[in-house]
Structure formats: structure tokens, C-alpha cells
Amino acid sequence: MRFIQERLRSAGDPSGMKEMINELAKGVNATIDVEWNTWLLQVAAVYNQELSAILPILENELAAISDKVAMIDKNREQVALPILIRSARRETKKNLLRTKAEVATCHDEVSELEADLEEAERHLKKLQASQEKFSLLSKSVESAHDLHCKEQDNRQTADSSYFKFFSVEKLHNWVLTGSSDSTLSLVFRGASSQYLTLSFSITDTLVVTLDASMNKVPRSAQSFFSESRKKKFHPAVVGFLSNKMSLLCDDLKKMRLLSPSEIPSVIHFAELRAARIEEAAKEIDTILNRCRDSFLQPSDTLKHEYEFTAFFKNSSRKRDRLRVTLSIADCYPFAPLNLHLQSSSNQFDTDSMNRRLRKIAKPGFGALTRVIDAVHALVR
């Protein structure tokens, strides 16, 4: 067939051969369809005959099966009913036992609750009694608060008077030069020619203002000061003492007092610092009198600091002099001395001496004297 088609395509169709072949193919297809349909009809007729013989038998068997299933269901109900009744009885018995146990437990809980209720009633009675005591206590606290407020008012009233915030007998180093309800003037018994004077002024709002200065003693109070107690210091020590006392006055003026009750602490602070300054001045004056080649001058580098310089000679080294410079801080003797040694001809072992003296130059009263004594011992 393919060969014929290829021949026809190559040679063309001059005599209508292609149309004839198409009609022939259509006729062949129609014949095949008729034969196929005839065969299918025959097969269907055979199947119908077979099914018509089998269907009544199947229907009868199906009816017999349904009857047997109904009988099985009846027998199952007759067998299962007693089993269900027995299981229901068992569950009912279990539920009854469980209920009895729960009732017993509830009875115990009710007993515990009754005991707790009795305990709560007893506790309530105690609380009622405590409440009565608390009410009495609150009244007592209120009355105590009222008394405390009255006490504070009385204390503020008492603080406005000089005789209420400290006693005159305790001021051993101070002399009272003037006092009233709002003012107070004190003079410190020192060794210098001028005395430290503190003046307190109390306003209506109990705010205290302080004025500190270095003045001479008024004539009315000169009888309380002994002239023999005054000491004549070296001129350099006089300048040292005047400078330190001026710094103390400046620090006291910067203080802010909120109530008159702070006056005693300020007086105590001023007394301790003034005594420390005078003790240091006495020590420096003694050393200046002992060491001929020595002098005291303010420091060029640090403010409010002084430098003590002394020259030492050895009998065997007459040409060499040892220069010792000690820096005295403003808080002396509570700060260590800064030590510097210098030899004119390098015959002294300044490094070794410096190490030894640094162990001695520790903070404390008399540190300056200890260092000078140690230098004397090393130079010999």
C-alpha cells in the first residue's frame, strides 16, 4: 500500500487512480464495521441467555442469606442481653462503692472544715482583742507624735538661745566675748599675736551665718588672756602662721550652717585645725633656731605650700655642703614630707641618704624634727 502511495506521489494522478483507491478504502472500512457490529450482537445475545439462567439462582441465594442474617441478629440479641445486664450491674456496683468512698472522704473533709471553722472563730476572737489593742496603740502613737512635734518646736525654740546648744564650761580654749539670743562671738586662745575670732549670727528662720577673722582681743576680754602664753616666733614662722590662719578663716567662711545645733561641731573643727597649725609653727620655729643655715619660704610651684631649706657640713668634708629641702604641705603633718637632697661637690651619697630619710619622713606630728635629726646623724 505504501509502495502504491509512493508511486502515485512520484508519478502524479493522470487517470483518477487516487480517487478510485479512496473509494475502495472506504468500502473496505464499511464492510469491516458491519462485520464487527454483527459479531458484537451475537456476543450480547449469548451473554443475555447465560445471565437469564443465572439471575434467578442468585436472587434465591440472596434471599436465603438475608433470612440467615436476620436469624443471627435475633440470636445475638438473645445472647448479648444477659451479658449487658451483668456488665451494667458490675458498673453500678463499682459506682456505688466509689460513691460510698467519696461520701466517707467528704465526711472527713467536713470534720476537718468544722475543726478549721472552730479554730478560725477562736482566731477571730483573738484578732478582735488585738484590734482593740491596736486602736489603743494607734491613739498612743498619735499622742506620742503630737508630743514629738511639740518637742521639736520646743527644741527649735531652745536652739535659738546660746545656753541651749552648748555649755560655756566645755570651751577650755575659747573665750566668750559677746552673746545674745541671735549672736555669738568667740576668741581662740592661741600662741600668736592675733587671735582667731568666730562670730555666729542666727536669723529668724534659724539659719546661721559665720564670720571668721584674725583680730586683736577687745579690751573687755584681755583679762582672760595671759601674756606669758604668747610666744615670739621667727619672722618666717610668723608669716607661715598668718598665712595658714587666713586659709582657715576662708574655709570657715565657706561653711553653710543649716541650724544652730551645728555650731559646736564647727567650733570643734576650728579648734583642732588651729591647734594643728600652731603645733606645726612651734616645731618649725624650734628647728629654725637649732639650724643656723636654714630658712623657710613659700613654695614657687605649689600654692599654700612652704619649703624648709637647711645646709649641713661635715667636719671631715669642710668644702662640701649638703642642702636639704623639705616641702611642707598645707595638711601637714597628715601628709608625707617631700624630700630633696643636693651635695655641692658630690661627696655625699645622696641616693642612699634619700632612701633612708624617706622611711623616716612618714606622716605624723614631729616628722620634720625626725628628718632633721636623721640628717644630722648621717652627716656626722
Side-chain angles (χ1 to χ4, degrees):
M1 193 70 181
R2 291 180 179 177
F3 179 75
I4 294 172
Q5 290 178 354
E6 291 177 357
R7 291 287 303 274
L8 288 173
R9 290 172 182 171
S10 62
D13 190 12
S15 61
M17 183 65 69
K18 185 176 181 180
E19 293 180 358
M20 291 175 65
I21 292 172
N22 289 333
E23 291 178 358
L24 179 61
K26 290 179 180 179
V28 172
N29 291 330
T31 303
I32 292 171
D33 291 337
V34 170
E35 291 179 355
W36 176 252
N37 291 330
T38 303
W39 182 80
L40 287 177
L41 291 173
Q42 292 176 359
V43 170
V46 172
Y47 273 108
N48 287 328
Q49 291 177 1
E50 293 292 332
L51 289 174
S52 62
I54 295 171
L55 285 176
I57 298 170
L58 293 175
E59 290 177 354
N60 294 330
E61 290 179 354
L62 181 61
I65 290 170
S66 61
D67 294 337
K68 291 180 180 179
V69 168
M71 291 178 65
I72 289 170
D73 292 336
K74 291 180 180 179
N75 293 329
R76 184 182 296 171
E77 290 178 355
Q78 292 177 358
V79 172
L81 184 60
I83 296 173
L84 291 175
I85 292 171
R86 286 195 296 272
S87 62
R89 288 178 179 176
R90 284 196 298 271
E91 290 297 328
T92 304
K93 188 175 181 180
K94 289 180 181 179
N95 292 333
L96 180 61
L97 295 175
R98 190 183 302 111
T99 304
K100 288 181 179 180
E102 291 177 355
V103 168
T105 305
C106 292
H107 182 70
D108 296 337
E109 291 179 356
V110 167
S111 300
E112 293 178 357
L113 290 174
E114 289 177 351
D116 293 339
L117 181 59
E118 292 177 357
E119 183 66 24
E121 289 177 353
R122 290 193 297 270
H123 188 61
L124 179 61
K125 291 179 180 179
K126 292 181 180 179
L127 288 177
Q128 289 176 353
S130 301
Q131 185 66 29
E132 294 177 356
K133 294 180 181 179
F134 286 153
S135 61
L136 295 174
L137 182 61
S138 62
K139 292 179 181 179
S140 301
V141 170
E142 290 177 358
S143 61
H145 180 67
D146 296 337
L147 292 174
H148 182 65
C149 293
K150 292 180 181 178
E151 183 184 359
Q152 286 183 346
D153 296 337
N154 295 331
R155 184 177 297 175
Q156 289 180 356
T157 304
D159 284 344
S160 62
S161 177
Y162 162 71
F163 295 101
K164 297 297 183 180
F165 52 74
F166 67 90
S167 176
V168 179
E169 287 78 6
K170 294 182 180 179
L171 302 177
H172 299 293
N173 296 322
W174 296 86
V175 176
L176 180 66
T177 58
S179 65
S180 65
D181 291 339
S182 60
T183 59
L184 178 67
S185 297
L186 297 171
V187 177
F188 179 70
R189 293 179 179 177
S192 60
S193 59
Q194 291 187 345
Y195 295 91
L196 175 64
T197 303
L198 301 181
S199 298
F200 298 92
S201 178
I202 305 172
T203 62
D204 296 336
T205 58
L206 299 180
V207 177
V208 182
T209 58
L210 172 61
D211 183 26
S213 61
M214 296 297 295
N215 298 320
K216 292 184 178 181
V217 181
R219 292 182 180 180
S220 59
Q222 286 182 358
S223 59
F224 296 99
F225 293 89
S226 176
E227 294 294 332
S228 61
R229 191 173 180 179
K230 292 183 179 179
K231 183 178 180 180
K232 293 183 179 180
F233 290 105
H234 191 278
V237 179
V238 172
F240 169 83
L241 192 60
S242 177
N243 186 13
K244 296 302 179 182
M245 285 297 185
S246 298
L247 291 176
L248 173 59
C249 292
D250 294 338
D251 293 340
L252 291 173
K253 290 177 182 179
K254 294 178 183 178
M255 289 186 175
R256 294 292 179 267
L257 282 73
L258 301 178
S259 66
S261 60
E262 297 180 3
I263 294 178
S265 60
V266 173
I267 294 174
H268 185 63
F269 167 76
E271 180 177 357
L272 291 178
R273 187 164 171 183
R276 175 172 63 85
I277 293 172
E278 290 191 351
E279 191 67 24
K282 291 177 183 179
E283 184 181 4
I284 296 172
D285 184 73
T286 303
I287 296 174
L288 284 173
N289 293 328
R290 283 176 52 192
C291 300
R292 294 180 180 179
D293 296 336
S294 62
F295 59 90
L296 180 69
Q297 63 180 3
S299 176
D300 297 332
T301 57
L302 297 176
K303 189 178 180 181
H304 307 314
E305 186 172 304
Y306 276 77
E307 290 183 353
F308 175 80
T309 305
F311 295 92
F312 297 91
K313 295 181 180 180
N314 194 330
S315 58
S316 61
R317 305 170 185 173
K318 295 182 179 181
R319 294 183 180 180
D320 191 11
R321 290 201 313 171
L322 178 66
R323 178 175 178 173
V324 180
T325 303
L326 297 173
S327 298
I328 304 173
D330 182 46
C331 56
Y332 175 81
F334 301 134
L337 296 172
N338 189 8
L339 181 65
H340 179 69
L341 301 178
Q342 184 179 2
S343 178
S344 60
S345 59
N346 296 326
Q347 293 183 5
F348 291 100
D349 188 3
T350 56
D351 294 335
S352 177
M353 295 173 67
N354 199 357
R355 286 193 298 270
R356 293 183 182 180
L357 293 175
R358 286 188 183 280
K359 296 179 181 180
I360 301 173
K362 294 181 179 179
F365 287 100
L368 190 60
T369 304
R370 291 194 298 270
V371 171
I372 296 299
D373 292 341
V375 173
H376 271 294
L378 292 174
V379 169
R380 290 178 183 176

